[in-house]
Amino acid sequence: MTPKKNDVERRGRGRPQSFDRTQALYAAMRLFWDRGYEGTSFDDLIAAMGISPSSFYNAFKSKEALYQEAIEAYAKASGAWFYDILGEPADTRTTLERLLTFAAAEFTRDDLPAGCMIAVAATQCSPSQARLRELMATQRTQYETAMANRLRLGVNLGDLPAATDIDALAAFYMSLIRGMVVQARDGATRERLLEIARIGMQAWPAKEGHPSAA
Amino acid sequence: MTPKKNDVERRGRGRPQSFDRTQALYAAMRLFWDRGYEGTSFDDLIAAMGISPSSFYNAFKSKEALYQEAIEAYAKASGAWFYDILGEPADTRTTLERLLTFAAAEFTRDDLPAGCMIAVAATQCSPSQARLRELMATQRTQYETAMANRLRLGVNLGDLPAATDIDALAAFYMSLIRGMVVQARDGATRERLLEIARIGMQAWPAKEGHPSAA
DNA sequence: TTTTTTTTGGTGTCATCGCTCCATAAATCC
DNA sequence: GGATTTATGGAGCGATGACACCAAAAAAAA
């Protein structure tokens, strides 16, 4: 959508950049992921990115602009599995099961920070960061809406009872995933997260005509 | 446990405190609850508490010490319902149901900040706040352990199958509660949280001899 | 080669943060 | 009343945070 200054080809006039912009962005992303926006200082960033303040300012405009880019990079790289799985042709229950299982695995990779960059970000922050907070809430809403849309499709496909409260079910599973993120950040193992996911699938709505006994 | 300087009676020798220490502590608690530790500045604190820097230092030692006291105050005031409900004589399933329902209500009170002060605090923060992060992780573990103990009791009482993975079940429900906190902080209504709680109860383990069909 | 354009290194700057110090005030004790 | 003890108001301080500026460097364009 937004054509960045240097995507593959960039033969401008002036002095060429001495660093790989994408690589620097990923370094920033990992730092933000691990420490959050307010917990990551300017000096930490330029150190991890290996650039000077002027290069930083020149290439990324500001810390906030960089954070937004980092969120986009995260969505494309480390968050894509979510939308990918939602788009798979499996039946709805299998899709949700895969989603939770994949979440457990992704949140406990040893080559990336634990958990998710978005799931619990900026839930408690200074009033001066109100814009950031709204941005993250919006991001979370988008993931939840995507899941709700997939569940709604499930109703249309007959995978879910027609009376299912789709928005509530999506909110339930997103809540569970966000809680799994907290567990992951506190050091929970992949096995533990898989157990949580397995129990979460027990809440899957019963088929029509088979109401669960009280 | 720790006898504070002024609990009810304190007739020392010097000039008396010109402010209500407990009231000031609660003001700080609410600020920390809403903004987190790093998101709450010293100046914000003394403004909300209505005291000067020297009074602050004299009465609370440091921002970090105040935060610890605020956590304790929270546990006694706004977090007590959790342990209270765990201690009620109801059967285990009812207890968990009440816990989730109460959480939905507590997280959406209009006289207090949304959500919980502990549930998602310091999951992303600066490395310089490593101690704080561990403190919060420990707090979360304590709540989870308390729930696990109640569930274990449920196994002994015959409320839950003997083969139940208690730690996993506790982790599941605590994850759900933490996710509900994120929802609450993003502005979810009490009704929405109640729906999430209701769905969460659908994951309650089936009685022995009545395995859920695949 | 000169000009133009863009990036870079290094330093400076302004605000905020979390205290810290000190003189003064208000209580009790002798 | 004087001494002692504790709290207060207000100013200041060293560190950090997030840039901002500028002269020099490195490329293409003329």
Side-chain angles (χ1 to χ4, degrees):
Chain A
M1 217 54 162
T2 47
K4 288 298 177 309
K5 278 177 185 173
N6 57 346
D7 279 341
V8 183
E9 60 88 24
R10 81 149 281 281
R11 291 276 119 218
R13 284 223 304 163
R15 178 175 174 171
Q17 261 179 345
S18 63
F19 63 95
D20 183 335
R21 193 181 188 279
T22 304
Q23 202 172 321
L25 177 58
Y26 273 74
M29 181 195 79
R30 293 178 57 130
L31 226 53
F32 280 135
W33 184 347
D34 193 45
R35 308 178 179 182
Y37 180 77
E38 288 185 293
T40 308
S41 77
F42 191 84
D43 289 354
D44 290 340
L45 283 170
I46 60 175
M49 298 164 87
I51 62 178
S52 68
S54 33
S55 293
F56 177 95
Y57 185 68
N58 179 276
F60 297 102
K61 192 67 185 169
S62 70
K63 187 185 168 188
E64 187 173 346
L66 173 62
Y67 189 74
Q68 297 222 22
E69 272 199 65
I71 291 287
E72 292 168 21
Y74 177 84
K76 278 183 192 160
S78 294
W81 59 268
F82 189 90
Y83 291 101
D84 288 349
I85 290 177
L86 285 185
E88 287 175 359
D91 75 290
T92 310
R93 189 196 161 113
T94 302
T95 294
L96 260 287
E97 197 164 8
R98 273 181 55 70
L99 206 59
L100 294 184
T101 308
F102 222 94
E106 285 292 317
F107 294 167
T108 54
R109 291 175 61 139
D110 56 7
D111 58 340
L112 289 172
C116 168
M117 187 174 171
I118 296 168
V120 298
T123 49
Q124 286 178 309
C125 65
S126 143
S128 65
Q129 305 299 331
R131 283 184 41 184
L132 173 72
R133 182 170 175 166
E134 285 171 31
L135 171 68
M136 300 317 291
T138 301
Q139 288 282 331
R140 283 189 281 272
T141 301
Q142 285 175 7
Y143 279 84
E144 192 164 321
T145 301
M147 180 186 278
N149 288 341
R150 177 61 187 85
L151 293 174
R152 220 177 311 278
L153 176 63
V155 172
N156 294 337
L157 294 174
D159 288 344
L160 279 168
T164 308
D165 186 338
I166 293 301
D167 292 333
L169 195 58
F172 165 77
Y173 279 113
M174 289 311 295
S175 288
L176 189 60
I177 288 173
R178 288 166 193 159
M180 287 167 66
V181 168
V182 177
Q183 297 271 1
R185 293 210 62 79
D186 283 354
T189 64
R190 179 171 296 179
E191 288 67 35
R192 170 52 51 88
L193 294 193
L194 285 170
E195 288 161 1
I196 294 170
R198 183 181 50 75
I199 296 173
M201 286 313 297
Q202 299 299 312
W204 189 258
K207 289 229 166 124
E208 285 171 291
H210 298 83
S212 60
Chain B
M1 217 53 163
T2 46
K4 286 299 176 305
K5 277 179 185 172
N6 58 345
D7 279 341
V8 183
E9 59 89 24
R10 79 150 281 282
R11 294 272 121 217
R13 256 161 45 105
R15 177 175 175 174
Q17 261 180 343
S18 63
F19 63 96
D20 183 335
R21 193 180 189 279
T22 304
Q23 202 172 321
L25 177 58
Y26 272 73
M29 181 195 81
R30 292 179 58 130
L31 225 54
F32 280 135
W33 184 347
D34 194 44
R35 309 177 179 184
Y37 180 77
E38 288 185 295
T40 308
S41 77
F42 191 85
D43 288 353
D44 292 339
L45 283 171
I46 60 173
M49 299 164 86
I51 62 179
S52 68
S54 34
S55 294
F56 178 95
Y57 185 67
N58 182 54
F60 298 102
K61 192 67 188 170
S62 72
K63 186 185 169 187
E64 188 174 344
L66 172 63
Y67 189 74
Q68 297 222 21
E69 271 199 66
I71 292 286
E72 292 169 22
Y74 177 84
K76 278 184 193 160
S78 293
W81 59 267
F82 189 90
Y83 290 102
D84 287 348
I85 291 177
L86 286 185
E88 288 175 358
D91 75 289
T92 310
R93 188 194 161 113
T94 302
T95 294
L96 260 288
E97 198 164 7
R98 273 181 54 71
L99 206 59
L100 293 185
T101 307
F102 222 94
E106 285 292 317
F107 294 166
T108 54
R109 290 173 63 137
D110 55 8
D111 59 339
L112 288 172
C116 167
M117 188 175 171
I118 296 168
V120 298
T123 49
Q124 290 182 142
C125 65
S126 144
S128 65
Q129 306 299 333
R131 283 184 39 184
L132 173 73
R133 183 171 174 167
E134 285 171 30
L135 171 68
M136 300 317 291
T138 301
Q139 289 281 332
R140 284 188 281 271
T141 302
Q142 285 175 8
Y143 280 83
E144 191 164 322
T145 301
M147 180 186 278
N149 288 340
R150 177 62 187 84
L151 294 175
R152 219 178 310 277
L153 175 63
V155 172
N156 294 337
L157 294 175
D159 289 343
L160 280 167
T164 308
D165 187 337
I166 293 302
D167 292 333
L169 194 59
F172 165 77
Y173 279 112
M174 290 310 296
S175 289
L176 190 59
I177 288 174
R178 288 166 194 158
M180 286 167 67
V181 168
V182 177
Q183 297 270 2
R185 292 210 61 80
D186 282 354
T189 64
R190 179 170 296 182
E191 289 66 37
R192 170 50 52 86
L193 295 193
L194 285 170
E195 289 161 0
I196 294 170
R198 182 181 51 74
I199 297 173
M201 287 313 297
Q202 299 299 312
W204 190 257
K207 289 226 165 128
E208 285 171 291
H210 298 84
S212 59

